[in-house]
Amino acid sequence: MAPSGSGSIKRSCQRVLYWIPVLFITIIVAWSYYAYVVQLCIESVANIGEKIVCLLAYHIFFFMFAWAYWQTIFTKPLNPLKEFHLSYADKEVLEREDRGESQQEILRRIAKDLPIYTRTMSGAIRFCDRCQLVKPDRCHHCSVCDKCILKMDHHCPWVNNCVGFSNYKFFMLFLLYSLLYCLFIAATDLQYFIKFWTNGLPDTQAKFHIMFLFFAASMFSVSLSSLFGYHCWLVGKNRSTLEAFRAPAFRHGADKNGFSLGFNKNFRQVFGEEKKFWPLPVFSSQGDGCSFPTCLVNQDPEQPPTPVGYNPPNKTVVETNAFPAKPLRESQSRLLNSRQSWTESEGADDKDPQGTSNPAMTIENET
């Protein structure tokens, strides 16, 4: 019992420590609010019209920044659907068998009906030994959250959360409104910052708030502009941060542009079809996070050649792998109408044991 108790205390301490970066950002923003609203606008700005305009514009940027930041922090990362989890019977078989052809057959049987195109670098099905599931495309195991996260981009300490399919749009808007917030403060504070050095301000505590406010806003603007620009490039290429460092591997090999459908479709995959939702931190991304369209010309022979229920009138060459089979808006609502993430059900039905197999395929665990 002692090891268990000490482990629980350690995890509790870690959870508290993980909130320190968020607390730091919160304190900085709270101080900037006081410095800008009270010390700059109310105490230092003499013109009534300028004061009103600055206060109105500031609160718009502040509200959008706070909204996006809140959504990024408290939107729960989504986990793979129960179809990707091993059934209770399959887990028992895997535990009994040695790592050989029997285990390979189990994973092949489970994966054959799933919309999975990515593999490990050695060509194996991507399997998470900790979560006991077959990983969907673009899904990775987060060592901090100790869960598999759909379309994982990275674990961000500044939001104490995994950035992935469920909150990547919120993260992008958080970067955008943070940048606009800092640029607005720096631009409107500039003339008073100059007056500070030319002794044009009264000798009060407001002058020091004005000076440090300009320095802080300028420094954050530089770092945020580079980070926001990088993620804009990732959105345009339809890549995650992890995929930018290591290209996703398909059966024909690694392909850094495997999920890229062109800038317009890549952008809409993150921000959605309805333009009115683009600037708002509300979920509007396409898909369900478990399957993604690809631009591959050579289709995976182990997957169904066309979506389920589709019978083409004539035999044609397949140019793209159009998963998911359901419309994107329908598959989106299936996953996101519930606030709870899918978890494994030990009583889940076993998969259909029939299907083709690939003797050349090997198992490789990714954690």
Side-chain angles (χ1 to χ4, degrees):
M1 295 300 293
S4 176
S6 61
S8 177
I9 295 175
K10 180 180 179 181
R11 287 191 296 271
S12 299
C13 293
Q14 287 178 337
R15 284 195 292 267
V16 173
L17 292 176
Y18 289 153
W19 284 103
I20 291 179
V22 177
L23 180 62
F24 173 76
I25 294 296
T26 303
I27 293 174
I28 292 294
V29 173
W31 166 79
S32 70
Y33 185 92
Y34 168 77
Y36 190 89
V37 173
V38 178
Q39 297 296 333
L40 179 62
C41 292
I42 297 178
E43 299 291 340
S44 302
V45 178
N47 186 283
I48 299 298
E50 180 185 354
K51 184 179 298 188
I52 293 175
V53 170
C54 287
L55 285 173
L56 287 176
Y58 172 83
H59 280 91
I60 292 175
F61 288 120
F62 178 81
F63 174 76
M64 296 305 296
F65 156 76
W67 187 9
Y69 192 41
W70 178 277
Q71 289 286 75
T72 308
I73 294 174
F74 294 104
T75 299
K76 188 175 182 180
L78 293 178
N79 311 120
L81 293 170
K82 60 182 180 180
E83 286 85 352
F84 293 86
H85 288 258
L86 269 64
S87 67
Y88 182 75
D90 288 336
K91 287 198 296 183
E92 281 192 330
V93 172
L94 279 177
E95 290 174 358
R96 288 197 304 264
E97 299 290 341
D98 294 333
R99 292 196 174 277
E101 183 60 30
S102 58
Q103 285 189 332
Q104 298 175 27
E105 185 62 33
I106 293 172
L107 291 184
R108 287 197 297 267
R109 175 169 57 84
I110 296 172
K112 72 181 182 63
D113 292 326
L114 297 174
I116 297 174
Y117 291 105
T118 55
R119 299 288 188 265
T120 65
M121 297 305 294
S122 62
I125 290 179
R126 301 191 320 128
F127 173 73
C128 180
D129 194 36
R130 292 185 64 85
C131 299
Q132 291 292 291
L133 58 82
V134 176
K135 290 183 180 180
D137 292 344
R138 316 184 81 173
C139 174
H140 297 275
H141 187 91
C142 175
S143 59
V144 179
C145 300
D146 197 24
K147 296 178 182 177
C148 282
I149 307 299
L150 295 181
K151 196 187 176 184
M152 179 178 174
D153 188 87
H154 68 290
H155 187 94
C156 181
W158 299 108
V159 300
N160 190 28
N161 199 3
C162 258
V163 177
F165 173 77
S166 63
N167 63 349
Y168 188 67
K169 178 193 174 184
F170 306 151
F171 178 75
M172 287 293 298
L173 292 178
F174 159 63
L175 294 180
L176 172 62
Y177 290 124
S178 299
L179 178 59
L180 293 178
Y181 178 78
C182 292
L183 289 175
F184 174 80
I185 291 177
T188 54
D189 188 34
L190 177 60
Q191 58 175 317
Y192 300 94
F193 177 76
I194 296 174
K195 288 181 180 180
F196 171 85
W197 296 104
T198 58
N199 297 321
L201 291 177
D203 192 13
T204 63
Q205 65 173 357
K207 62 188 302 183
F208 297 102
H209 285 284
I210 291 172
M211 179 186 67
F212 289 114
L213 186 64
F214 181 81
F215 276 130
S218 301
M219 289 187 295
F220 277 109
S221 296
V222 173
S223 59
L224 285 169
S225 60
S226 59
L227 185 59
F228 178 66
Y230 174 69
H231 278 277
C232 286
W233 178 79
L234 290 178
V235 170
K237 296 293 185 179
N238 204 340
R239 300 177 196 168
S240 66
T241 299
L242 295 175
E243 291 166 351
F245 284 96
R246 186 174 68 175
F250 300 86
R251 286 187 57 81
H252 66 276
D255 187 349
K256 62 183 180 180
N257 295 317
F259 294 107
S260 181
L261 307 174
F263 177 81
N264 184 53
K265 291 182 179 180
N266 293 343
F267 178 86
R268 291 174 183 270
Q269 194 172 105
V270 174
F271 286 88
E273 293 289 344
E274 301 183 57
K275 296 181 180 179
K276 62 182 179 181
F277 293 127
W278 289 357
L280 301 178
V282 295
F283 186 86
S284 59
S285 301
Q286 295 179 341
D288 60 4
C290 288
S291 57
F292 297 89
T294 68
C295 64
L296 304 179
V297 176
N298 298 322
Q299 186 164 355
D300 191 335
E302 290 190 355
Q303 301 298 335
T306 55
V308 178
Y310 175 70
N311 296 317
N314 298 315
K315 185 177 181 181
T316 58
V317 177
V318 177
E319 298 260 333
T320 60
N321 298 328
F323 277 98
K326 293 184 178 181
L328 291 173
R329 305 300 294 182
E330 181 181 347
S331 59
Q332 166 192 328
S333 61
R334 176 191 177 191
L335 185 64
L336 295 170
N337 281 344
S338 173
R339 291 185 178 271
Q340 290 185 340
S341 300
W342 287 94
T343 56
E344 178 184 356
S345 173
E346 291 188 349
D349 294 337
D350 294 341
K351 304 290 181 180
D352 184 2
Q354 298 179 352
T356 59
S357 62
N358 181 7
M361 187 181 305
T362 58
I363 301 173
E364 180 174 313
N365 291 335
E366 290 189 348
T367 58

